[in-house]
Amino acid sequence: MLFSLVSQDNENSTESRMSARPAHLERLQALSDAGRLVVAGPSPINPNGDTDQGFSGSVVIAEFASLEEAKTWADADPYVSAGVYSSVSVKPFKRVF
């Protein structure tokens, strides 16, 4: 089943985000390689999409066997341990288009 993982960044977490980014991307690549990743990316603060002002959070939509598995995966994200995320919401997601 698909799940959406919507994360909110702590203020002034850009430096921590950049530090943890390689490990974060490695985990996403593993989901992609397994054919389980639908989409993933950050939410720039700047509404024009420029990243000069940092990020407000991230979105991941991926396949997991259960809600518990999705939450466990989200809790183990390097951005969580690096203090980038202030919160992560994990919910079932139904693809329509």
Side-chain angles (χ1 to χ4, degrees):
M1 170 158 208
L2 293 177
F3 291 89
S4 66
L5 291 68
V6 180
S7 308
Q8 297 298 313
D9 283 15
N10 283 306
E11 287 188 32
N12 303 313
S13 61
T14 302
E15 187 175 316
S16 297
R17 177 185 270 273
M18 293 300 111
S19 227
R21 189 170 188 260
H24 172 77
L25 293 179
E26 185 177 318
R27 294 180 80 235
L28 289 170
Q29 187 64 55
L31 279 180
S32 181
D33 291 348
R36 296 170 48 198
L37 183 63
V38 175
V39 67
S43 299
I45 291 171
N46 186 322
N48 294 326
D50 294 334
T51 60
D52 58 333
Q53 295 175 15
F55 303 93
S56 62
S58 300
V59 174
V60 174
I61 298 176
E63 185 177 334
F64 294 95
S66 66
L67 178 61
E68 293 75 25
E69 181 184 334
K71 286 182 177 181
T72 298
W73 190 91
D75 288 344
D77 193 297
Y79 283 174
V80 172
S81 57
V84 175
Y85 292 154
S86 61
S87 66
V88 180
S89 171
V90 180
K91 297 180 181 181
F93 181 83
K94 179 165 178 52
R95 177 189 264 178
V96 176
F97 292 100

